[in-house]
Amino acid sequence: MKIIIIVGARPNFVKAAPIVRALNKYRNQLKYLIVHTGQHYDDEMSKVFFEDLSLPTPDIHLGIGSGSHAEQTAMIMIELEKKILKMKPDLVMVLGDINSTMAGAVSAAKLCIPVAHVEAGLRSFDRNMPEEINRIVTDSISDYLFTTCEEANINLLKEGHPKNRIYFVGNFMIDTLLAIRKKAMSSKILSKLGLKGNRSVKPYGVLTLHRPSNVDDKKALRNILEAIKFISKEMSIIFPIHPRTKKQIDKYEFRHFLNYVPYEELSNSENSSTQKELSNRINCINPLGILDFSNLISNAKLVLTDSGGITEETTILKVPCLSLRDNTEREITIKEGTNMLVGNNKQRIIDGALKQLQKDYKELTAPKYWDGKAAERIVKVLLKIENEK
Ligand code: UD1
């Protein structure tokens, strides 16, 4: 079986890594090529992830870059169609819910190439989210639907997808989280940020923001930053900033909320001026690679985010998490994890933070199949498909 794996942005790289590792064990039967659409292109949004995750250099790089949704999706499809026609794969695998996912699925399906969707069936039921459109379209034309949780299976069945197309294999993001744990623990990020003393780690929170509904809307962004500024009086907040968010903060002249920290230049934490500089501020740093980021959230008292994937990671790490969203496609992180929805209302964020800081999640057990073995399961399914051909 010849498989094309399409990746485009950070969360795709994280999910592809364990699959590629598992496929490598069956090279005789399952051959794969990696196509990078170039949706994320800055080194710190892409190259660092390939290095940290030991992902092989993509076989093909489409170099598409940014654009409106239609432009980006269309450009990926135009280039991808040519490559698929040339490479004649038996299967195209797409991951997650980004524009590259949908573009990959549509391009392949139109050429009658079977499509496998990794992380199928998640639904926020909010069609204002570009990702929700990507999920619905991708699932509707996929032949193999690989899911991370029971609720995804139920969503797909309710939409009329036949049971024999749905494969509950588990969570690939968690495969990676568990696989890199040891390496991530040796990251020096805490010392670089002055958060680690001789023996103890200073309490701190981590903020990530990139969703258009939060960062493109001036009022929403102001509410969030005001709330976080209030919380930062209690503990330092570290904010690895997404390029889109950085642009919006500059556009709305919100830089006064932030303390830009050139973290590479920080000496080890004993430096008291560093410690002083970090406290009581939203400390903004460049986007981090997965090893540094994983270490940072593992040791945090609280994570505030509008990402979906991070709510899965904090669930396994048992770190309290506030979702700066009104809904989630990952209800399981609320029911069985550490996640709480607070939207972008200032008071709800502050109240939510206070509540979460009182909670103790140590007794939680991991959701089913969030056990580091999802990639092994998917490869077994692929081998079965191959053998039944
Ligand atoms: C995309 C996904 C989102 C995912 C996120 C992970 C879609 C619709 N969105 O959002 O689901 O959670 O990736 O990070 O596919 N930019 C750079 N350098 C880069 C990449 C982006 O400067 O390497 C800037 C550009 O101004 C670009 C903007 O960020 O226009 C947004 O990038 P884009 O890939 O369109 O969406 P994300 O917000 O990253």
Side-chain angles (χ1 to χ4, degrees), residues 202-256:
K202 267 176 62 176
Y204 65 91
V206 178
L207 169 67
T208 82
L209 274 181
H210 75 284
R211 248 168 235 296
S213 55
N214 281 335
V215 305
D216 292 358
D217 180 321
K218 189 173 181 183
K219 192 167 161 244
L221 186 56
R222 184 191 287 116
N223 284 343
I224 292 172
L225 292 174
E226 281 178 354
I228 311 285
K229 194 178 162 198
F230 184 87
I231 298 166
S232 74
K233 287 186 192 144
E234 296 303 315
M235 66 185 166
S236 303
I237 300 291
I238 311 297
F239 181 24
I241 195 163
H242 187 290
R244 169 193 215 112
T245 312
K246 193 167 189 207
K247 277 182 202 155
Q248 293 304 105
I249 284 178
D250 288 346
K251 180 174 152 194
Y252 296 141
E253 298 181 356
F254 286 161
R255 282 184 75 121
H256 57 279

Short mmCIF file of all heavy atoms in Angstrom, two decimals, residues 202-256:
data_model
loop_
_atom_site.label_atom_id
_atom_site.label_comp_id
_atom_site.label_asym_id
_atom_site.label_seq_id
_atom_site.Cartn_x
_atom_site.Cartn_y
_atom_site.Cartn_z
N LYS A 202 8.76 28.18 40.37
CA LYS A 202 7.82 29.24 40.73
C LYS A 202 6.44 28.96 40.13
O LYS A 202 6.37 28.47 39.00
CB LYS A 202 8.31 30.56 40.13
CG LYS A 202 9.16 31.39 41.05
CD LYS A 202 9.67 32.62 40.33
CE LYS A 202 8.58 33.55 39.85
NZ LYS A 202 9.09 34.78 39.25
N PRO A 203 5.35 29.26 40.83
CA PRO A 203 4.04 29.03 40.20
C PRO A 203 3.84 29.97 39.01
O PRO A 203 4.17 31.16 39.09
CB PRO A 203 3.03 29.36 41.31
CG PRO A 203 3.80 29.89 42.46
CD PRO A 203 5.26 29.81 42.18
N TYR A 204 3.34 29.41 37.91
CA TYR A 204 3.11 30.24 36.73
C TYR A 204 1.97 29.63 35.91
O TYR A 204 1.62 28.46 36.08
CB TYR A 204 4.38 30.36 35.85
CG TYR A 204 4.82 29.05 35.27
CD1 TYR A 204 4.36 28.63 34.01
CD2 TYR A 204 5.65 28.20 35.98
CE1 TYR A 204 4.74 27.42 33.49
CE2 TYR A 204 6.02 26.98 35.47
CZ TYR A 204 5.58 26.59 34.23
OH TYR A 204 5.94 25.36 33.70
N GLY A 205 1.41 30.46 35.04
CA GLY A 205 0.39 29.98 34.10
C GLY A 205 0.91 30.12 32.68
O GLY A 205 1.86 30.85 32.42
N VAL A 206 0.27 29.39 31.76
CA VAL A 206 0.66 29.46 30.34
C VAL A 206 -0.57 29.87 29.54
O VAL A 206 -1.67 29.36 29.76
CB VAL A 206 1.16 28.08 29.83
CG1 VAL A 206 1.51 28.16 28.34
CG2 VAL A 206 2.37 27.62 30.64
N LEU A 207 -0.37 30.81 28.62
CA LEU A 207 -1.46 31.29 27.76
C LEU A 207 -1.13 31.00 26.29
O LEU A 207 0.01 31.23 25.86
CB LEU A 207 -1.61 32.80 27.96
CG LEU A 207 -2.50 33.56 26.98
CD1 LEU A 207 -3.97 33.16 27.15
CD2 LEU A 207 -2.37 35.08 27.20
N THR A 208 -2.10 30.45 25.55
CA THR A 208 -1.96 30.42 24.09
C THR A 208 -3.26 30.92 23.46
O THR A 208 -4.34 30.66 23.98
CB THR A 208 -1.65 29.01 23.50
OG1 THR A 208 -2.86 28.26 23.37
CG2 THR A 208 -0.65 28.23 24.32
N LEU A 209 -3.13 31.64 22.38
CA LEU A 209 -4.29 32.26 21.71
C LEU A 209 -4.03 32.31 20.21
O LEU A 209 -2.98 32.78 19.79
CB LEU A 209 -4.39 33.73 22.13
CG LEU A 209 -5.11 34.17 23.39
CD1 LEU A 209 -5.02 35.69 23.47
CD2 LEU A 209 -6.55 33.73 23.36
N HIS A 210 -4.96 31.82 19.42
CA HIS A 210 -4.80 32.00 17.98
C HIS A 210 -6.12 32.02 17.21
O HIS A 210 -6.15 32.33 16.04
CB HIS A 210 -3.90 30.90 17.39
CG HIS A 210 -4.59 29.57 17.28
ND1 HIS A 210 -4.81 28.77 18.36
CD2 HIS A 210 -5.12 28.93 16.21
CE1 HIS A 210 -5.46 27.68 17.98
NE2 HIS A 210 -5.66 27.76 16.68
N ARG A 211 -7.23 31.68 17.88
CA ARG A 211 -8.49 31.56 17.15
C ARG A 211 -8.99 32.91 16.66
O ARG A 211 -9.02 33.88 17.44
CB ARG A 211 -9.55 30.93 18.06
CG ARG A 211 -9.90 29.59 17.59
CD ARG A 211 -10.70 28.76 18.49
NE ARG A 211 -9.97 27.53 18.69
CZ ARG A 211 -9.70 26.65 17.74
NH1 ARG A 211 -10.14 26.84 16.51
NH2 ARG A 211 -9.01 25.58 17.99
N PRO A 212 -9.39 32.99 15.37
CA PRO A 212 -9.87 34.27 14.83
C PRO A 212 -10.95 34.91 15.70
O PRO A 212 -10.95 36.12 15.90
CB PRO A 212 -10.43 33.88 13.46
CG PRO A 212 -9.73 32.62 13.09
CD PRO A 212 -9.35 31.93 14.36
N SER A 213 -11.86 34.11 16.28
CA SER A 213 -12.94 34.69 17.09
C SER A 213 -12.40 35.38 18.34
O SER A 213 -13.07 36.23 18.92
CB SER A 213 -13.94 33.60 17.48
OG SER A 213 -13.26 32.55 18.13
N ASN A 214 -11.20 35.04 18.76
CA ASN A 214 -10.60 35.71 19.91
C ASN A 214 -9.60 36.80 19.52
O ASN A 214 -9.53 37.83 20.17
CB ASN A 214 -9.85 34.69 20.79
CG ASN A 214 -10.79 33.90 21.68
OD1 ASN A 214 -11.88 34.35 22.01
ND2 ASN A 214 -10.37 32.71 22.06
N VAL A 215 -8.82 36.55 18.49
CA VAL A 215 -7.73 37.49 18.22
C VAL A 215 -8.04 38.50 17.10
O VAL A 215 -7.42 39.55 17.05
CB VAL A 215 -6.38 36.78 17.94
CG1 VAL A 215 -6.02 35.85 19.08
CG2 VAL A 215 -6.36 36.05 16.61
N ASP A 216 -9.01 38.20 16.25
CA ASP A 216 -9.35 39.16 15.19
C ASP A 216 -10.40 40.16 15.67
O ASP A 216 -10.59 41.21 15.05
CB ASP A 216 -9.86 38.44 13.93
CG ASP A 216 -8.76 37.62 13.25
OD1 ASP A 216 -7.62 37.68 13.75
OD2 ASP A 216 -9.03 36.94 12.25
N ASP A 217 -11.09 39.85 16.74
CA ASP A 217 -12.14 40.71 17.29
C ASP A 217 -11.52 41.56 18.42
O ASP A 217 -11.09 41.03 19.46
CB ASP A 217 -13.26 39.80 17.82
CG ASP A 217 -14.43 40.56 18.43
OD1 ASP A 217 -14.19 41.59 19.11
OD2 ASP A 217 -15.55 40.12 18.25
N LYS A 218 -11.49 42.88 18.19
CA LYS A 218 -10.77 43.78 19.11
C LYS A 218 -11.30 43.67 20.54
O LYS A 218 -10.54 43.60 21.51
CB LYS A 218 -10.89 45.21 18.59
CG LYS A 218 -10.00 46.19 19.33
CD LYS A 218 -10.02 47.56 18.67
CE LYS A 218 -9.09 48.50 19.42
NZ LYS A 218 -9.11 49.84 18.88
N LYS A 219 -12.65 43.65 20.65
CA LYS A 219 -13.25 43.64 21.99
C LYS A 219 -12.91 42.33 22.72
O LYS A 219 -12.54 42.34 23.90
CB LYS A 219 -14.77 43.81 21.85
CG LYS A 219 -15.46 44.11 23.15
CD LYS A 219 -16.90 44.58 22.91
CE LYS A 219 -17.69 44.40 24.20
NZ LYS A 219 -18.77 43.44 24.08
N ALA A 220 -13.04 41.23 21.99
CA ALA A 220 -12.76 39.92 22.60
C ALA A 220 -11.30 39.86 23.06
O ALA A 220 -11.00 39.42 24.17
CB ALA A 220 -13.04 38.81 21.59
N LEU A 221 -10.40 40.34 22.20
CA LEU A 221 -8.97 40.28 22.55
C LEU A 221 -8.67 41.15 23.76
O LEU A 221 -7.93 40.76 24.67
CB LEU A 221 -8.13 40.72 21.33
CG LEU A 221 -6.62 40.58 21.45
CD1 LEU A 221 -6.20 39.15 21.80
CD2 LEU A 221 -5.91 40.99 20.15
N ARG A 222 -9.30 42.34 23.81
CA ARG A 222 -9.09 43.23 24.96
C ARG A 222 -9.60 42.56 26.25
O ARG A 222 -8.90 42.54 27.27
CB ARG A 222 -9.76 44.58 24.76
CG ARG A 222 -9.43 45.50 25.95
CD ARG A 222 -10.22 46.78 26.04
NE ARG A 222 -9.83 47.76 25.06
CZ ARG A 222 -10.63 48.21 24.08
NH1 ARG A 222 -11.87 47.73 23.99
NH2 ARG A 222 -10.23 49.11 23.23
N ASN A 223 -10.81 41.98 26.19
CA ASN A 223 -11.37 41.28 27.36
C ASN A 223 -10.41 40.23 27.89
O ASN A 223 -10.16 40.12 29.09
CB ASN A 223 -12.68 40.55 27.00
CG ASN A 223 -13.83 41.51 26.88
OD1 ASN A 223 -13.78 42.64 27.35
ND2 ASN A 223 -14.88 41.05 26.22
N ILE A 224 -9.91 39.42 26.95
CA ILE A 224 -9.01 38.33 27.36
C ILE A 224 -7.74 38.89 28.00
O ILE A 224 -7.34 38.47 29.08
CB ILE A 224 -8.66 37.43 26.14
CG1 ILE A 224 -9.91 36.68 25.68
CG2 ILE A 224 -7.54 36.45 26.48
CD1 ILE A 224 -9.74 35.91 24.38
N LEU A 225 -7.14 39.88 27.34
CA LEU A 225 -5.87 40.41 27.86
C LEU A 225 -6.08 41.10 29.21
O LEU A 225 -5.24 40.99 30.11
CB LEU A 225 -5.23 41.35 26.84
CG LEU A 225 -4.74 40.66 25.56
CD1 LEU A 225 -4.24 41.68 24.54
CD2 LEU A 225 -3.61 39.65 25.87
N GLU A 226 -7.23 41.77 29.37
CA GLU A 226 -7.50 42.41 30.67
C GLU A 226 -7.65 41.35 31.76
O GLU A 226 -7.15 41.51 32.88
CB GLU A 226 -8.76 43.29 30.59
CG GLU A 226 -8.46 44.62 29.91
CD GLU A 226 -9.70 45.51 29.77
OE1 GLU A 226 -10.81 45.04 30.09
OE2 GLU A 226 -9.53 46.66 29.32
N ALA A 227 -8.36 40.27 31.44
CA ALA A 227 -8.54 39.20 32.43
C ALA A 227 -7.20 38.57 32.79
O ALA A 227 -6.89 38.34 33.97
CB ALA A 227 -9.48 38.13 31.88
N ILE A 228 -6.40 38.31 31.78
CA ILE A 228 -5.11 37.64 32.04
C ILE A 228 -4.18 38.57 32.82
O ILE A 228 -3.42 38.14 33.69
CB ILE A 228 -4.41 37.19 30.72
CG1 ILE A 228 -5.35 36.45 29.81
CG2 ILE A 228 -3.15 36.38 31.03
CD1 ILE A 228 -5.71 35.05 30.16
N LYS A 229 -4.28 39.88 32.51
CA LYS A 229 -3.44 40.84 33.24
C LYS A 229 -3.81 40.78 34.74
O LYS A 229 -2.94 40.81 35.61
CB LYS A 229 -3.70 42.24 32.69
CG LYS A 229 -2.66 43.24 33.13
CD LYS A 229 -2.92 44.58 32.52
CE LYS A 229 -2.17 45.65 33.30
NZ LYS A 229 -2.69 46.97 33.05
N PHE A 230 -5.11 40.65 35.01
CA PHE A 230 -5.56 40.56 36.40
C PHE A 230 -4.99 39.29 37.05
O PHE A 230 -4.43 39.33 38.14
CB PHE A 230 -7.10 40.54 36.43
CG PHE A 230 -7.67 40.55 37.81
CD1 PHE A 230 -7.90 41.75 38.48
CD2 PHE A 230 -7.96 39.36 38.47
CE1 PHE A 230 -8.41 41.76 39.77
CE2 PHE A 230 -8.47 39.36 39.76
CZ PHE A 230 -8.70 40.56 40.41
N ILE A 231 -5.10 38.17 36.33
CA ILE A 231 -4.60 36.89 36.88
C ILE A 231 -3.08 36.97 37.08
O ILE A 231 -2.53 36.41 38.03
CB ILE A 231 -4.96 35.71 35.94
CG1 ILE A 231 -6.49 35.59 35.84
CG2 ILE A 231 -4.34 34.41 36.41
CD1 ILE A 231 -6.96 34.69 34.69
N SER A 232 -2.40 37.71 36.20
CA SER A 232 -0.94 37.76 36.27
C SER A 232 -0.44 38.53 37.50
O SER A 232 0.75 38.53 37.79
CB SER A 232 -0.35 38.35 34.99
OG SER A 232 -0.57 39.74 34.96
N LYS A 233 -1.35 39.17 38.23
CA LYS A 233 -0.93 39.78 39.51
C LYS A 233 -0.63 38.69 40.53
O LYS A 233 0.14 38.87 41.45
CB LYS A 233 -2.05 40.68 40.05
CG LYS A 233 -2.21 41.96 39.27
CD LYS A 233 -3.22 42.86 39.95
CE LYS A 233 -3.60 44.00 39.03
NZ LYS A 233 -5.00 44.37 39.15
N GLU A 234 -1.28 37.53 40.34
CA GLU A 234 -1.11 36.41 41.28
C GLU A 234 0.05 35.51 40.88
O GLU A 234 0.70 34.91 41.72
CB GLU A 234 -2.39 35.56 41.33
CG GLU A 234 -3.59 36.29 41.88
CD GLU A 234 -3.35 36.84 43.29
OE1 GLU A 234 -2.79 36.10 44.12
OE2 GLU A 234 -3.69 38.02 43.51
N MET A 235 0.23 35.33 39.59
CA MET A 235 1.35 34.48 39.14
C MET A 235 1.78 34.89 37.74
O MET A 235 0.97 35.38 36.95
CB MET A 235 0.94 33.00 39.17
CG MET A 235 -0.11 32.64 38.20
SD MET A 235 -0.60 30.93 38.44
CE MET A 235 -2.08 30.93 37.48
N SER A 236 3.06 34.66 37.45
CA SER A 236 3.56 35.02 36.12
C SER A 236 2.80 34.23 35.06
O SER A 236 2.50 33.06 35.25
CB SER A 236 5.03 34.63 35.98
OG SER A 236 5.78 35.24 36.97
N ILE A 237 2.53 34.90 33.97
CA ILE A 237 1.90 34.21 32.83
C ILE A 237 2.91 34.19 31.69
O ILE A 237 3.49 35.22 31.34
CB ILE A 237 0.62 34.96 32.37
CG1 ILE A 237 -0.42 35.03 33.50
CG2 ILE A 237 0.03 34.29 31.12
CD1 ILE A 237 -1.06 33.72 33.90
N ILE A 238 3.12 33.02 31.13
CA ILE A 238 4.02 32.88 29.98
C ILE A 238 3.15 32.70 28.73
O ILE A 238 2.27 31.85 28.69
CB ILE A 238 4.97 31.66 30.13
CG1 ILE A 238 5.65 31.64 31.50
CG2 ILE A 238 5.99 31.64 29.00
CD1 ILE A 238 6.55 32.80 31.79
N PHE A 239 3.43 33.49 27.73
CA PHE A 239 2.57 33.56 26.55
C PHE A 239 3.40 33.36 25.28
O PHE A 239 3.88 34.34 24.70
CB PHE A 239 1.90 34.95 26.57
CG PHE A 239 0.94 35.23 25.44
CD1 PHE A 239 0.31 34.22 24.74
CD2 PHE A 239 0.65 36.56 25.10
CE1 PHE A 239 -0.59 34.50 23.71
CE2 PHE A 239 -0.24 36.86 24.08
CZ PHE A 239 -0.85 35.82 23.38
N PRO A 240 3.57 32.09 24.84
CA PRO A 240 4.25 31.88 23.55
C PRO A 240 3.27 32.33 22.46
O PRO A 240 2.20 31.76 22.31
CB PRO A 240 4.47 30.36 23.50
CG PRO A 240 4.10 29.83 24.87
CD PRO A 240 3.15 30.82 25.47
N ILE A 241 3.67 33.33 21.73
CA ILE A 241 2.68 34.02 20.88
C ILE A 241 2.67 33.50 19.44
O ILE A 241 3.72 33.34 18.80
CB ILE A 241 2.88 35.55 20.96
CG1 ILE A 241 1.66 36.28 20.40
CG2 ILE A 241 4.16 35.99 20.26
CD1 ILE A 241 1.61 37.75 20.81
N HIS A 242 1.47 33.23 18.93
CA HIS A 242 1.27 32.80 17.54
C HIS A 242 1.45 34.04 16.64
O HIS A 242 1.01 35.13 17.00
CB HIS A 242 -0.16 32.24 17.43
CG HIS A 242 -0.49 31.62 16.12
ND1 HIS A 242 -0.65 32.35 14.96
CD2 HIS A 242 -0.72 30.33 15.77
CE1 HIS A 242 -0.95 31.52 13.96
NE2 HIS A 242 -1.00 30.29 14.43
N PRO A 243 2.06 33.88 15.45
CA PRO A 243 2.30 35.05 14.59
C PRO A 243 1.03 35.84 14.27
O PRO A 243 1.05 37.07 14.18
CB PRO A 243 2.92 34.47 13.32
CG PRO A 243 2.97 33.00 13.47
CD PRO A 243 2.64 32.65 14.89
N ARG A 244 -0.07 35.12 14.10
CA ARG A 244 -1.33 35.81 13.80
C ARG A 244 -1.72 36.73 14.96
O ARG A 244 -2.12 37.88 14.77
CB ARG A 244 -2.42 34.75 13.59
CG ARG A 244 -3.80 35.32 13.52
CD ARG A 244 -4.85 34.23 13.63
NE ARG A 244 -5.97 34.58 12.80
CZ ARG A 244 -6.32 33.93 11.70
NH1 ARG A 244 -5.67 32.89 11.31
NH2 ARG A 244 -7.34 34.34 11.01
N THR A 245 -1.59 36.23 16.19
CA THR A 245 -1.96 36.99 17.38
C THR A 245 -1.04 38.19 17.55
O THR A 245 -1.47 39.28 17.92
CB THR A 245 -1.88 36.05 18.61
OG1 THR A 245 -2.57 34.85 18.28
CG2 THR A 245 -2.49 36.67 19.83
N LYS A 246 0.23 37.99 17.26
CA LYS A 246 1.20 39.09 17.37
C LYS A 246 0.80 40.24 16.44
O LYS A 246 0.79 41.40 16.84
CB LYS A 246 2.60 38.56 17.01
CG LYS A 246 3.70 39.50 17.39
CD LYS A 246 5.03 38.82 17.30
CE LYS A 246 6.08 39.72 17.90
NZ LYS A 246 7.38 39.49 17.35
N LYS A 247 0.43 39.86 15.22
CA LYS A 247 0.00 40.89 14.25
C LYS A 247 -1.22 41.65 14.77
O LYS A 247 -1.30 42.87 14.65
CB LYS A 247 -0.36 40.24 12.91
CG LYS A 247 0.85 39.98 12.05
CD LYS A 247 0.46 39.37 10.71
CE LYS A 247 1.65 38.63 10.14
NZ LYS A 247 1.32 37.56 9.22
N GLN A 248 -2.17 40.92 15.34
CA GLN A 248 -3.41 41.55 15.81
C GLN A 248 -3.13 42.46 17.02
O GLN A 248 -3.71 43.53 17.13
CB GLN A 248 -4.45 40.48 16.18
CG GLN A 248 -4.97 39.69 14.99
CD GLN A 248 -5.55 40.59 13.91
OE1 GLN A 248 -4.93 40.81 12.88
NE2 GLN A 248 -6.72 41.14 14.15
N ILE A 249 -2.24 42.03 17.90
CA ILE A 249 -1.91 42.84 19.08
C ILE A 249 -1.24 44.15 18.64
O ILE A 249 -1.53 45.22 19.16
CB ILE A 249 -1.04 42.02 20.07
CG1 ILE A 249 -1.96 41.04 20.81
CG2 ILE A 249 -0.28 42.92 21.05
CD1 ILE A 249 -1.31 40.11 21.78
N ASP A 250 -0.39 44.06 17.63
CA ASP A 250 0.24 45.28 17.10
C ASP A 250 -0.82 46.17 16.45
O ASP A 250 -0.86 47.38 16.68
CB ASP A 250 1.31 44.91 16.06
CG ASP A 250 2.54 44.31 16.73
OD1 ASP A 250 2.65 44.42 17.97
OD2 ASP A 250 3.37 43.71 16.02
N LYS A 251 -1.71 45.56 15.67
CA LYS A 251 -2.74 46.32 14.95
C LYS A 251 -3.64 47.09 15.92
O LYS A 251 -3.98 48.25 15.69
CB LYS A 251 -3.56 45.34 14.10
CG LYS A 251 -4.66 45.98 13.29
CD LYS A 251 -5.30 44.94 12.38
CE LYS A 251 -6.74 45.31 12.10
NZ LYS A 251 -7.49 44.20 11.50
N TYR A 252 -4.04 46.43 17.00
CA TYR A 252 -4.96 47.07 17.95
C TYR A 252 -4.23 47.87 19.03
O TYR A 252 -4.84 48.34 19.99
CB TYR A 252 -5.85 46.00 18.62
CG TYR A 252 -6.78 45.27 17.67
CD1 TYR A 252 -7.01 43.90 17.80
CD2 TYR A 252 -7.43 45.94 16.64
CE1 TYR A 252 -7.86 43.23 16.93
CE2 TYR A 252 -8.28 45.27 15.77
CZ TYR A 252 -8.49 43.92 15.92
OH TYR A 252 -9.33 43.25 15.06
N GLU A 253 -2.93 47.96 18.90
CA GLU A 253 -2.09 48.70 19.87
C GLU A 253 -2.30 48.20 21.29
O GLU A 253 -2.55 48.98 22.21
CB GLU A 253 -2.35 50.21 19.74
CG GLU A 253 -1.98 50.71 18.35
CD GLU A 253 -2.19 52.20 18.13
OE1 GLU A 253 -2.72 52.86 19.03
OE2 GLU A 253 -1.81 52.65 17.05
N PHE A 254 -2.22 46.89 21.46
CA PHE A 254 -2.37 46.26 22.78
C PHE A 254 -1.02 45.83 23.37
O PHE A 254 -0.98 45.05 24.31
CB PHE A 254 -3.28 45.02 22.67
CG PHE A 254 -4.74 45.33 22.51
CD1 PHE A 254 -5.61 44.37 22.01
CD2 PHE A 254 -5.27 46.57 22.88
CE1 PHE A 254 -6.97 44.63 21.86
CE2 PHE A 254 -6.63 46.85 22.73
CZ PHE A 254 -7.48 45.87 22.22
N ARG A 255 0.06 46.33 22.82
CA ARG A 255 1.38 45.86 23.29
C ARG A 255 1.62 46.18 24.76
O ARG A 255 2.41 45.51 25.41
CB ARG A 255 2.49 46.47 22.43
CG ARG A 255 2.65 45.78 21.10
CD ARG A 255 3.82 46.35 20.35
NE ARG A 255 5.08 45.89 20.88
CZ ARG A 255 5.98 45.23 20.21
NH1 ARG A 255 5.77 44.97 18.95
NH2 ARG A 255 7.11 44.85 20.76
N HIS A 256 0.92 47.22 25.26
CA HIS A 256 1.15 47.60 26.67
C HIS A 256 0.73 46.51 27.65
O HIS A 256 1.12 46.52 28.80
CB HIS A 256 0.41 48.91 26.99
CG HIS A 256 -1.06 48.84 26.73
ND1 HIS A 256 -1.60 48.99 25.47
CD2 HIS A 256 -2.11 48.61 27.55
CE1 HIS A 256 -2.91 48.87 25.54
NE2 HIS A 256 -3.24 48.64 26.78
#
